[in-house]
Amino acid sequence: MTRFTSSLDKDRLIFRSVVLTALAHFYHLWERGLIPKDSKDVIRWLIRALDEEEEILSGSYEDVHEALEEWLLRNAGKNAGWLAYGKSRNDQVATALRLTLRWKIIHLLWEVNRLRSSLLEAAEDNLEVNMPLFTHLQPAQPSTAAHYLLYIEEECFRHWRAIWYMLREVVDLSPLGSGPIAGSSLPLDRGRLADLLGFAGVEVNTLLATGSRSFLVLSLGPIASLMVSMGRVAEDLIVWSSPQFSLVEIPSDHVSTSSIMPQKRNPVTLEIIRAKSAKLIGSLTSLMAITKGLPSGYNLDLQETNEHILAVDEASESIRVMADLFKRIKFSDLRIKSTLAQDLAEKLVKERKVTYREAHSLIASALKDNGWDLEKAAESLGLELPSFSEVLKSRGRGGPNPDILRKEISSRKKLLQDDIEKLADYEGEKREAEENLLRLARESLME
Ligand code: ARG
């Protein structure tokens, strides 16, 4: 018979979570008196299993669940046969995926916070550094590097909050105790099982808990969106660092030279970030495509969704690299005169009492008559070009006015501090839960 290779190797991804899930289940059976008291030796082997990944996954089994059960049977004997009492691989894999995903998202959220911090620092250092903003990639209006940096920080903040919501309200719910699809006859306490694994709550409906992977789509959705935003930033910096633009200087440890052209400073880390954002879209698309049209309830197709939690690591790595880049990026002070045209037209309106449409066409024809030189065009109309600093100072909330942005930065630092504290508390709770489970398991051995 021709078969696919087993999922054992890919199951390394969730190995620890699978063992912890099995431990929580077995411990619960034991504490509830649902299995013989003398079966607790299996608990000892389950604790040991955490350190025996290589050995456990070395045989030829269909998946990690089978490999673990066989290893337990070999070592703990017949009592290991109680592990499958009231537990299916379907609720187990869903639980393990969520546990692993939880750590990966926590890690990602830390990286995003570090990126936010380096963006806020960079913004503070670049409040007065002039930089044009582009529409249609044509110079549009005067702005500052700080304004641009804060735009990225706000994107990060918004996505941070969306990912945080999905983590707590969607991912952090326990499927354990759901059996294969509709529970079992055992009086399992699903709330207790959730507590043992440090889940915030229970994914109540057993069909949803075992057969759905919408928690993957919902959590990867905002992560993919974050990466799409970061891919755009990567593209900006790639373009702006080319000598033709000379708007930014990428730190030298983020560029590579060419093996043949010595003048090259290729923005390689940004290029990888741009590609990773495509891979995140790929993972999200795969998840939705695999589950689209699938009958409700567990189907082995779902096994192919597991590996896509790795996409979270790809996002984390990209964000980490980006945070490092923004610590040392240099913006050149670039003032492009033509970007003052709108402000010149607005000045014309105020001084000559003409409508904006009239001012627009007066300046447009003066530009045409003066070889697109705005300074000469202004002169021909008897006007003086506004200065860049004057223009920046005229801007209101959300724009590049340095005085307003200075205040904005300090309120954004507070938001970041809030998110840092929330995440530290949350991570602490999860670590404690894992320690608690192991402590309870060890204590049961002493009874
Ligand atoms: N290896 C499977 C997965 O990762 C575990 C569940 C298999 N369930 C089953 N009924 N064959 O999704």
Side-chain angles (χ1 to χ4, degrees):
M1 183 170 58
T2 305
R3 313 251 340 211
F4 286 95
T5 49
S6 81
S7 73
L8 212 53
D9 210 37
K10 285 179 181 168
D11 281 350
R12 288 179 188 281
L13 192 57
I14 52 171
F15 177 80
R16 188 177 171 80
S17 301
V18 166
V19 178
L20 289 172
T21 302
L23 178 60
H25 176 71
F26 202 95
Y27 176 80
H28 186 57
L29 292 176
W30 180 82
E31 70 175 355
R32 285 241 130 180
L34 299 171
I35 54 177
K37 281 284 156 196
D38 70 355
S39 63
K40 73 178 180 190
D41 196 41
V42 178
I43 293 177
R44 192 162 61 81
W45 284 99
L46 275 165
I47 297 171
R48 199 181 274 194
L50 289 169
D51 301 317
E52 300 295 345
E53 179 174 333
E54 283 318 311
E55 189 187 310
I56 294 169
L57 298 183
S58 65
S60 62
Y61 302 102
E62 188 182 314
D63 59 19
V64 57
H65 314 281
E66 207 186 272
L68 176 64
E69 202 174 317
E70 288 296 323
W71 183 84
L72 289 168
L73 282 168
R74 277 201 307 280
N75 289 291
K78 191 166 164 279
N79 275 333
W82 289 111
L83 182 61
Y85 192 35
K87 178 187 69 56
S88 149
R89 285 186 290 174
N90 298 354
D91 59 349
Q92 175 151 8
V93 72
T95 306
L97 274 174
R98 286 167 186 255
L99 284 178
T100 305
L101 187 59
R102 198 166 72 184
W103 288 120
K104 290 191 181 303
I105 295 178
I106 289 173
H107 181 67
L108 170 67
L109 290 174
W110 279 122
E111 296 296 358
V112 178
N113 278 347
R114 281 190 269 273
L115 173 58
R116 288 164 68 188
S117 163
S118 70
L119 288 163
L120 291 172
E121 296 298 320
E124 218 160 26
D125 294 342
N126 287 283
L127 276 167
E128 318 262 353
V129 176
N130 287 273
M131 177 179 131
L133 290 181
F134 302 84
T135 61
H136 311 270
L137 202 53
Q138 305 284 321
Q141 288 190 276
S143 183
T144 63
H147 189 214
Y148 176 71
L149 290 160
L150 287 171
Y151 140 77
I152 309 171
E153 198 276 331
E154 279 200 41
E155 282 279 50
C156 290
F157 161 75
R158 187 138 305 142
H159 285 93
W160 194 97
R161 293 272 169 111
I163 298 164
W164 174 243
Y165 179 86
M166 292 306 170
L167 171 61
R168 296 169 41 115
E169 305 289 330
V170 179
V171 175
D172 200 5
L173 299 175
S174 168
L176 203 55
S178 295
I181 184 166
S184 71
S185 61
L186 279 66
L188 299 174
D189 178 346
R190 294 195 57 203
R192 171 66 174 164
L193 284 167
D195 283 347
L196 286 172
L197 290 168
F199 279 105
V202 171
E203 184 71 278
V204 178
N205 186 289
T206 58
L207 170 54
L208 177 67
T210 53
S212 171
R213 292 295 178 270
S214 60
F215 70 95
L216 288 177
V217 174
L218 286 168
S219 51
L220 247 69
I223 297 173
S225 174
L226 170 69
M227 284 300 292
V228 168
S229 297
M230 294 306 113
R232 291 185 73 178
V233 170
E235 170 68 8
D236 287 343
L237 301 177
I238 289 167
V239 172
W240 294 348
S241 67
S242 90
Q244 277 64 38
F245 271 80
S246 292
L247 192 51
V248 295
E249 192 185 313
I250 311 286
S252 52
D253 52 346
H254 284 261
V255 302
S256 287
T257 188
S258 146
S259 58
I260 184 164
M261 299 170 282
Q263 87 281 12
K264 296 279 270 169
R265 283 175 55 83
N266 298 332
V268 288
T269 60
L270 291 164
E271 288 170 335
I272 298 288
I273 291 170
R274 191 170 54 184
K276 296 266 193 211
S277 77
K279 290 176 79 181
L280 263 286
I281 298 175
S283 282
L284 184 58
T285 309
S286 293
L287 289 172
M288 291 199 283
I290 291 169
T291 44
K292 185 202 167 291
L294 205 61
S296 295
Y298 188 89
N299 297 265
L300 200 56
D301 309 48
L302 293 182
Q303 180 175 283
E304 297 300 306
T305 65
N306 299 356
E307 68 194 72
H308 290 289
I309 64 175
L310 275 175
V312 183
D313 294 346
E314 302 231 49
S316 293
E317 214 191 349
S318 304
I319 301 293
R320 175 177 62 74
V321 170
M322 202 157 229
D324 180 71
L325 182 138
F326 277 112
K327 280 191 192 130
R328 278 162 295 117
I329 195 169
K330 285 200 188 83
F331 289 85
S332 41
D333 190 275
L334 187 62
R335 301 162 202 226
I336 298 184
K337 273 215 184 99
S338 65
T339 60
L340 297 169
Q342 180 192 322
D343 283 83
L344 185 66
E346 286 166 3
K347 194 168 169 179
L348 196 59
V349 169
K350 287 172 206 149
E351 289 186 7
R352 309 268 166 94
K353 305 278 177 269
V354 292
T355 68
Y356 188 78
R357 191 51 61 227
E358 285 167 321
H360 183 287
S361 72
L362 277 172
I363 287 172
S365 39
L367 270 171
K368 254 179 239 152
D369 296 344
N370 289 279
W372 299 97
D373 181 323
L374 189 66
E375 195 145 36
K376 286 194 188 131
E379 226 170 81
S380 74
L381 292 165
L383 289 166
E384 205 182 318
L385 262 190
S387 73
F388 280 87
S389 64
E390 202 182 309
V391 165
L392 294 179
K393 281 208 166 21
S394 75
R395 298 300 194 244
R397 189 167 179 213
N401 186 331
D403 296 330
I404 297 181
L405 286 191
R406 195 169 286 115
K407 291 189 198 113
E408 190 69 28
I409 291 173
S410 75
S411 57
R412 303 210 62 83
K413 280 188 173 171
K414 286 196 195 92
L415 285 175
L416 172 59
Q417 195 48 41
D418 269 7
D419 289 347
I420 289 173
E421 280 160 26
K422 278 191 279 191
L423 186 57
D425 288 349
Y426 183 81
E427 183 179 26
E429 273 170 33
K430 300 308 169 193
R431 286 202 189 288
E432 215 172 283
E434 201 175 300
E435 281 159 23
N436 261 339
L437 172 62
L438 291 172
R439 188 177 45 75
L440 283 174
R442 286 196 189 97
E443 280 170 11
S444 73
L445 300 176
M446 293 176 207
E447 272 182 36

